[in-house]
Amino acid sequence: YFQLGQDEDPPFTFRAMVVRTYWPGATAQQVAEQVTDKLEKTLQEVPYADRIRSYSKPGESQIIFQIKDSSKPGDVANVWYQVRKKIGDIRYTLPSGTQGPFFNDEFGDVYGVIYALESDGGFSYAEVKTFADDVRQQLLRVPDVAKVELFGVQDEKVFIDVSQKKIAQMGLDMGAVLAQLGQQNAVESAGALQSPHDVVQVRVGGQFQSLDDLRAMPIRGASGAQLRLSDIADVRRGYIDPPAVKVRHDGQEVIALGVSMAKGGDIIALGHALRDSVRQIEASLPAGLTLTQVQDQPAAVSKSVNEFIKVLIEAVVIVLAVSFIALGFHKRPEPGLLKRNDPMRENQVRRP
């Protein structure tokens, strides 16, 4: 009994998958006819196919694929493999510029323990994410931890705000400027140099290493004059806009770390192991960063188990008490009474 896994909810199998495809610049009708329709016809050939719901909007196709409830839990993983295989076989038929398809079948992940990594304002989002990645790596080493996911991360981007007024004054074309940017920072193979002892890869330099390199990039004007990118555009580093999903704790923006337990694990033992690991992590964090536990499923499960054991003991005690009290009302017959009322003994006495 004490070796059994303990969790708040029993494990169950999700029989649904989301297939998402992006086609930037396409209308909803184009997405429906050239992307969604092809994927739907392919999904109809998958074993145990039950329901297929699709949504097409400008630049994006989303399909929710469900299989029959009669499918065995052990066969679900093979069905998802067949989905990826069949769609991968027709990927070449999708329009040029299509991104994906992307598959999501991990609906059964439950993050029973959630931590919030909070900064007092002395660290940027990028710096907090760096420490969050380190915390994630340490939490993954804890026994029975299957997955650690980051929430509320804002990715860094480089924004180039080109002034239309300056481009018009200098006679530049926006398409030509974008083409020069793409060519300058392109990663292309330049071949290899064969030597008697080794093969040396030849690489083309010129990639941007900093914002100053990007600002100093030469732009060819209409008359052949050389300009710098900073002359016609504002180059700055920032975060994705509009921002991704943000997580707040006590009114402060934080990065949350969700911990998912491995199948068949003991959530109470996992809680003890995480507390020991978090104490070591907190000691290594710099001043200004705090790691706070937001969700504590091990404590909830431990409370429920203790309540069950308490109720079980009370029920056993009540049953035993009632049994003893009920049996106490029946007195044990005296030995002499048994002898006097024994018919076998009377027969023996009367026999001549």
Side-chain angles (χ1 to χ4, degrees):
Y1 169 78
F2 295 101
Q3 301 298 324
L4 295 176
Q6 300 183 34
D7 203 351
E8 187 172 15
D9 300 309
F12 49 91
T13 303
F14 285 87
R15 293 174 171 83
M17 169 185 275
V18 175
V19 182
R20 185 166 299 178
T21 310
Y22 300 96
W23 187 13
T27 63
Q29 183 176 358
Q30 290 174 328
V31 171
E33 294 176 351
Q34 302 185 44
V35 177
T36 305
D37 187 59
K38 293 180 180 180
L39 297 178
E40 283 182 341
K41 292 179 180 178
T42 303
L43 291 174
Q44 291 172 354
E45 304 172 359
V46 176
Y48 300 109
D50 186 19
R51 296 183 61 189
I52 300 176
R53 290 177 294 168
S54 62
Y55 305 89
S56 299
K57 60 183 181 180
E60 181 180 348
S61 167
Q62 178 176 304
I63 300 176
I64 302 176
F65 176 65
Q66 293 178 263
I67 61 177
K68 297 179 180 178
D69 293 336
S70 59
S71 59
K72 298 179 181 179
D75 297 336
V76 174
N78 184 58
V79 173
W80 300 151
Y81 167 75
Q82 292 296 328
V83 170
R84 291 177 169 87
K85 177 178 175 295
K86 290 182 178 294
I87 291 182
D89 292 340
I90 67 160
R91 193 189 300 268
Y92 73 95
T93 64
L94 299 179
S96 177
T98 302
Q99 301 174 5
F102 303 103
F103 307 92
N104 182 14
D105 59 340
E106 297 182 349
F107 296 101
D109 293 336
V110 178
Y111 301 100
V113 181
I114 300 178
Y115 298 98
L117 186 62
E118 182 180 351
S119 170
D120 60 357
F123 297 89
S124 64
Y125 256 119
E127 293 172 334
V128 175
K129 181 181 181 299
T130 301
F131 288 105
D133 289 333
D134 295 338
V135 173
R136 176 181 178 272
Q137 294 297 327
Q138 297 183 55
L139 291 178
L140 284 172
R141 300 190 185 100
V142 178
D144 284 341
V145 171
K147 187 177 181 181
V148 179
E149 189 76 14
L150 299 181
F151 302 97
V153 176
Q154 307 299 320
D155 294 330
E156 282 190 295
K157 299 289 183 182
V158 175
F159 296 91
I160 303 177
D161 299 326
V162 181
S163 173
Q164 296 288 347
K165 182 178 179 180
K166 292 183 179 179
I167 284 184
Q169 291 176 350
M170 298 179 182
L172 298 175
D173 179 62
M174 175 65 77
V177 174
L178 296 178
Q180 293 182 48
L181 282 172
Q183 294 172 1
Q184 180 66 24
N185 205 39
V187 178
E188 299 288 346
S189 174
L193 179 62
Q194 182 72 43
S195 66
H197 303 287
D198 202 355
V199 177
V200 180
Q201 297 292 330
V202 179
R203 303 185 186 279
V204 179
Q207 285 82 14
F208 302 126
Q209 303 296 332
S210 63
L211 290 181
D212 293 334
D213 295 342
L214 185 57
R215 295 189 182 102
M217 174 187 168
I219 301 293
R220 293 187 297 272
S223 61
Q226 293 286 340
L227 305 172
R228 293 187 305 172
L229 181 61
S230 58
D231 295 333
I232 61 173
D234 177 31
V235 182
R236 57 185 176 84
R237 187 193 303 272
Y239 301 97
I240 55 176
D241 186 23
V245 177
K246 290 188 175 183
V247 179
R248 288 181 172 85
H249 176 62
D250 291 339
Q252 301 293 327
E253 294 184 1
V254 300
I255 293 182
L257 297 95
V259 181
S260 177
M261 185 181 67
K263 184 177 180 180
D266 188 339
I267 189 67
I268 298 178
L270 176 63
H272 295 311
L274 285 175
R275 279 192 286 270
D276 295 338
S277 179
V278 167
R279 280 195 290 266
Q280 300 177 3
I281 293 173
E282 289 176 338
S284 63
L285 289 177
L289 284 179
T290 56
L291 187 64
T292 307
Q293 187 168 4
V294 179
Q295 171 70 19
D296 191 359
Q297 191 183 55
V301 174
S302 178
K303 181 179 178 181
S304 299
V305 172
N306 292 336
E307 289 180 356
F308 169 75
I309 294 176
K310 178 183 176 182
V311 171
L312 178 62
I313 293 175
E314 290 176 352
V316 172
V317 171
I318 292 173
V319 170
L320 292 177
V322 171
S323 301
F324 289 142
I325 293 175
L327 292 174
F329 292 141
H330 300 279
K331 296 182 179 179
R332 183 179 178 182
E334 297 179 2
L337 182 61
L338 288 176
K339 293 180 180 179
R340 288 194 298 269
N341 297 332
D342 190 356
M344 296 298 296
R345 183 178 180 84
E346 293 178 359
N347 294 336
Q348 293 176 2
V349 173
R350 293 176 182 175
R351 184 178 303 174

